Amino acid sequence: MKRVLVDMSATIIHHGHTRLLKKASEYGEVIVGLTTDEEIRAKKGYEPELNYEQRKEILESIKYVKEVVPTSWLIDEDVLKKYDIDLLVHGDDNSNKIDKKKLLIFPRTKGVSSTSIRQKVMQAYAEKKSRNILLNPGPATTTASVKLSQIVDDICPREKEFGDLMEWTSNELTSIAADTKDYTTVLFGGSGTAAVEAMLTSIVPYNKSLLIVNNGAYGKRMCQIAKRFDIDFIEFQSSPIEPIDMIKLEETVKENKNISHLAVIHNETTTGLLNNLDDLGKLAKKYDLELIVDAMSSYAAIPIDMNKQNISYLAASSNKNIQGMAGVGFVIAKKSSLENLKEIKPRSFYLSLYEQYTNFIKTHQMRFTPPVQTMYALKQAIVEAKKEGIENRYKRYSSSWETLTNGLRELKLKYLVDDEHHSKIITSIFIPKGVDFDDMHDYFYKKGFTIYPGKVAEFNTFRIANIGDIDHQDIESFLILLEKYLHETR
Ligand SMILES: Cc1ncc(COP(=O)(O)O)c(C=O)c1O
């Protein structure tokens, strides 16, 4: 009887293996050449889930198998001689260098491999985990595939391969809001505030003034940054729930001839008030100002066209509507505006927009260590955002928002900003009498929903964001719980 060697590593044993062994047994008695643990570590780069002895024990109990012998990754003539083998059976991915007359190639069983089983297990694990519904305004709920994309081989970010990833990311992020011919994205390791701080501290010339519209906590934060860095700024205070009075804003511009830049928040995350970029862009154009936009909670959901809307600089981050992980803040900017920054001494060492920009052109690298795994998650998030399309993403978010606000009306709960000026992304809701936010938070948290406190001092509110990998059904589940909670507590 012929002795037939079937070589395999069988780290996760499945029906593809047994079918192969059965077929091989039709040619003689089957000897399994089982790859040793050392070889798997060295050639495949991972620890086998089952060690050699365990794999051997399983294989020996299969009726088609006569014997199991240890082999290295590749089989050569010496191995055949050592075990007195007549034929070697292998799948159609054979790279064993042996005489063709002794080789039998069988196609692999379709749809199964140890690798695909491993991926399925990881996917199921990540999906189970991902069902925490984040109703806070970012970091948002992410897809299982975004979570899994962070599990990558270790890589030094100074390698060209990583530089290529960053260049691709920069281009793709730009194309969501502008034309890559005239605009580019400067990436920083840091949260969204890092991007805002990089803009403000790099852009305003020392002999010029910055006009900041403050109609919420994030407009106020821009004022705090300007103050901290001694940037000459004018604070234009505006209602946190009503649209900006554009006539008054224009008067302020006219009265202050030294203003060179106008800074605004697009979607004030404090309330969900959506500032009108078309109007602000027109005003900036009329008075030859550069418009700076913090689009942290609108970018990649509400369509933005930087060129049409006359926006010179826009800040956003990796963990809100783009649906990636936290850790990258970025500034999308007009290349011609960035070039002009050469003349302005940066106020910050780390967050120097011009130096980060010029260094990236030369090297495709951030100046300092980037958040490596976050960059891989961002890549996957961009792929998924493009697949869904920004307009469709906003439709999905809007549909969740309609579900939310209809539900609130049924529960007789009121929210701060009129629908007409609402971003449909985050809603600031009045807390009804007799309800304690912390208690409500803990109730929802235990049930897998994270809700968020309000941020406007004069109103007792809580916030619900409808961004991330969630949809109107998740909002419906939240509303059912909310009704139950209010019924139990009031
Ligand atoms: C409009 C706006 N700007 C800035 C930030 C600050 O971002 P980060 O918390 O990532 O620093 C946020 C965060 O929610 C925001 O909504």
Side-chain angles (χ1 to χ4, degrees):
M1 200 172 201
K2 284 198 169 139
R3 282 171 64 82
V4 181
L5 185 76
V6 183
D7 71 309
M8 54 176 63
S9 46
T11 47
I12 295 175
I13 295 173
H14 50 72
H15 59 283
H17 296 118
T18 50
R19 286 186 195 178
L20 181 65
L21 293 168
K22 182 179 180 195
K23 211 160 163 197
S25 71
E26 290 163 13
Y27 292 81
E29 56 188 25
V30 173
I31 323 297
V32 174
L34 188 59
T35 317
T36 61
D37 294 344
E38 295 73 28
E39 280 283 291
I40 290 174
R41 273 183 220 115
K43 301 293 185 334
K44 287 196 164 183
Y46 61 78
E47 191 62 33
E49 286 84 353
L50 300 172
N51 68 27
Y52 178 83
E53 288 306 323
Q54 292 160 337
R55 291 181 281 131
K56 181 169 184 261
E57 190 181 324
I58 298 170
L59 287 164
E60 280 173 346
S61 70
I62 294 173
K63 66 179 176 193
Y64 313 113
V65 175
K66 173 91 179 21
E67 197 184 335
V68 178
V69 297
T71 52
S72 52
W73 180 245
L74 286 179
I75 305 293
D76 56 18
E77 292 288 346
D78 290 346
V79 178
L80 301 191
K81 213 177 273 167
K82 181 173 176 188
Y83 296 109
D84 196 17
I85 301 297
D86 302 300
L87 283 172
L88 173 70
V89 163
H90 198 92
D92 42 17
D93 57 348
N94 176 64
S95 48
N96 295 308
K97 288 190 179 65
I98 62 149
D99 185 349
K100 278 207 177 91
K101 283 194 270 11
K102 292 187 200 157
L103 191 62
L104 272 178
I105 300 288
F106 294 157
R108 294 173 68 100
T109 304
K110 284 210 175 78
V112 67
S113 67
S114 301
T115 306
S116 71
I117 293 174
R118 209 170 275 119
Q119 277 167 349
K120 265 191 199 160
V121 171
M122 284 183 4
Q123 187 85 13
Y125 174 76
E127 267 162 14
K128 182 176 164 288
K129 291 275 174 201
S130 73
R131 288 328 288 164
N132 271 349
I133 309 289
L134 299 185
L135 301 176
N136 50 298
T141 308
T142 52
T143 60
S145 35
V146 164
K147 284 190 250 301
L148 285 175
S149 64
Q150 296 174 105
I151 306 170
V152 285
D153 287 343
D154 292 326
I155 182 167
C156 169
R158 298 302 177 205
E159 289 299 324
K160 182 180 178 302
E161 186 185 333
F162 197 80
D164 290 347
L165 165 74
M166 288 209 283
E167 192 200 7
W168 180 90
T169 304
S170 165
N171 279 329
E172 293 295 326
L173 291 174
T174 309
S175 70
I176 288 177
D179 186 339
T180 51
K181 197 160 59 68
D182 299 321
Y183 294 78
T184 191
T185 296
V186 185
L187 302 160
F188 289 93
S191 79
T193 306
V196 176
E197 194 162 311
M199 286 196 303
L200 301 186
T201 57
S202 304
I203 292 170
V204 187
Y206 285 78
N207 58 352
K208 291 286 178 188
S209 312
L210 167 68
L211 176 59
I212 301 173
V213 176
N214 172 1
N215 52 1
Y218 295 101
K220 184 175 169 199
R221 187 173 294 178
M222 291 211 281
C223 296
Q224 289 168 321
I225 294 170
K227 198 164 174 202
R228 178 67 57 90
F229 287 93
D230 285 330
I231 296 166
D232 189 41
F233 75 101
I234 297 154
E235 179 176 359
F236 182 84
Q237 282 209 334
S238 180
S239 159
I241 49 177
E242 301 286 344
I244 300 167
D245 183 339
M246 290 302 292
I247 296 172
K248 265 201 183 149
L249 185 64
E250 182 163 356
E251 277 166 12
T252 308
V253 174
K254 276 200 229 158
E255 281 163 15
N256 296 279
K257 299 270 179 284
N258 208 34
I259 296 170
S260 58
H261 291 80
L262 170 62
V264 293
I265 309 296
H266 187 200
N267 170 27
E268 236 315 337
T269 321
T270 326
T271 55
L273 178 65
L274 189 67
N275 289 320
N276 187 324
L277 290 184
D278 292 340
D279 291 351
L280 289 156
K282 277 183 202 140
L283 179 73
K285 191 161 216 150
K286 187 167 169 190
Y287 292 92
D288 200 21
L289 311 177
E290 283 200 301
L291 182 59
I292 303 172
V293 177
D294 170 348
M296 211 66 64
S297 60
S298 58
Y299 172 83
I302 301 176
I304 294 171
D305 184 333
M306 289 181 69
N307 186 37
K308 252 199 199 146
Q309 293 171 306
N310 192 35
I311 303 165
S312 300
Y313 299 94
L314 179 146
S317 71
S318 53
N319 59 263
K320 291 195 192 285
N321 307 327
I322 195 76
Q323 297 182 186
M325 295 294 166
V328 177
F330 52 91
V331 177
I332 308 179
K334 216 181 205 164
K335 289 180 190 168
S336 57
S337 298
L338 283 171
E339 290 297 341
N340 289 336
L341 301 184
K342 197 181 341 189
E343 311 301 332
I344 306 170
K345 185 171 170 242
R347 293 169 177 90
S348 163
F349 182 71
Y350 189 90
L351 297 174
S352 164
L353 193 54
Y354 182 71
E355 285 170 285
Q356 192 83 342
Y357 161 65
T358 48
N359 184 72
F360 196 79
I361 293 177
K362 267 192 251 139
T363 63
H364 294 158
Q365 297 286 342
M366 291 190 201
R367 281 157 69 225
F368 308 106
T369 308
V372 176
Q373 287 71 21
T374 296
M375 287 299 302
Y376 283 101
L378 183 52
K379 177 186 174 189
Q380 179 63 23
I382 292 169
V383 168
E384 292 175 20
K386 294 242 153 165
K387 192 165 169 219
E388 182 174 17
I390 301 306
E391 289 191 5
N392 285 337
R393 177 159 292 186
Y394 193 42
K395 270 190 202 147
R396 174 164 62 84
Y397 286 4
S398 301
S399 144
S400 293
W401 184 78
E402 299 291 347
T403 305
L404 175 71
T405 49
N406 286 336
L408 294 177
R409 271 186 282 276
E410 276 177 29
L411 294 171
K412 307 222 175 337
L413 294 182
K414 293 205 160 21
Y415 49 95
L416 275 181
V417 173
D418 277 356
D419 292 6
E420 195 192 339
H421 305 111
H422 211 291
S423 65
K424 304 188 174 177
I425 278 181
I426 176 144
T427 307
S428 206
I429 305 158
F430 285 98
I431 297 181
K433 276 207 180 79
V435 171
D436 172 62
F437 174 77
D438 290 337
D439 181 72
M440 181 162 66
H441 167 273
D442 295 351
Y443 173 88
F444 279 101
Y445 190 74
K446 276 190 209 127
K447 293 178 161 40
F449 292 85
T450 303
I451 64 170
Y452 215 52
K455 218 174 177 148
V456 191
E458 57 265 52
F459 304 114
N460 186 25
T461 56
F462 71 105
R463 284 180 291 169
I464 296 297
N466 45 273
I467 63 171
D469 184 42
I470 61 171
D471 63 16
H472 65 98
Q473 283 164 338
D474 296 309
I475 298 290
E476 267 162 31
S477 308
F478 163 72
L479 286 165
I480 291 167
L481 275 183
L482 182 61
E483 183 175 15
K484 200 160 162 261
Y485 176 79
L486 294 177
H487 183 73
E488 283 167 14
T489 48
R490 287 198 291 181

